[in-house]
Amino acid sequence: MSAIVLFDGVCNLCSGAVQFIVERDPRARFKFASIQSDSGKELMREHGIAIPSGDPTSIVLVEDGRAFQKSSAAVRIARGLRFPWSLLAASWIVPRFVRDWVYGIVARNRYRWFGKKEVCMVPTPELRARFL
């Protein structure tokens, strides 16, 4: 069973997170699409997720026909990574409103703290099959 990670393709932090996931996902369970891509926009529309003001502030995980956003997506992604990173899924015990509050601080400041690209991330030839 694969899951699809939708990410902000121009965000350096988000693109780095995709690389982090790829390196710790030996079964290639996760596939990827930038939120700005046609595939990403279509998946967002299918799950009723709007991008406020064209600025994607959340990672989205589409898994088993459901979409998870913000910290819930991050925790579910962690669960699918190899040990010891899968232990981060234990953060599920922290109430969602607390996790999402922290997530929101990082999301609002990600361009200032980590930078932004002019164009979306282009996958390497080796990773192209994992991108929609």
Side-chain angles (χ1 to χ4, degrees):
M1 173 74 187
S2 70
I4 302 166
V5 176
L6 303 176
F7 67 100
D8 180 354
V10 298
C11 167
N12 288 336
L13 173 63
C14 305
S15 295
V18 168
Q19 288 298 322
F20 182 88
I21 294 166
V22 165
E23 292 168 9
R24 288 151 186 87
D25 178 27
R27 294 179 294 152
R29 177 176 178 259
F30 295 104
K31 299 215 179 295
F32 306 92
S34 76
I35 289 173
Q36 294 90 344
S37 71
D38 291 340
S39 298
K41 289 176 187 174
E42 178 63 21
L43 283 165
M44 298 278 283
R45 187 192 61 72
E46 285 176 16
H47 292 281
I49 301 169
I51 300 173
S53 306
D55 180 18
T57 57
S58 180
I59 192 168
V60 177
L61 175 67
V62 177
E63 181 179 49
D64 298 329
R66 294 180 60 200
F68 302 89
Q69 297 182 66
K70 301 181 182 180
S71 67
S72 295
V75 169
R76 292 183 75 89
I77 291 167
R79 187 178 67 184
L81 301 179
R82 73 170 179 247
F83 184 82
W85 302 104
S86 58
L87 296 176
L88 292 172
S91 63
W92 199 263
I93 63 171
V94 175
R96 187 172 66 189
F97 76 92
V98 174
R99 287 184 283 123
D100 282 350
W101 178 75
V102 173
Y103 183 98
I105 291 170
V106 175
R108 282 188 302 277
N109 293 289
R110 71 193 186 284
Y111 294 149
R112 183 177 12 194
W113 294 346
F114 301 97
K116 180 178 178 179
K117 300 174 186 167
E118 292 300 316
V119 294
C120 287
M121 172 187 169
V122 177
T124 64
E126 301 84 35
L127 292 180
R128 199 169 313 265
R130 292 186 65 184
F131 280 75
L132 304 181

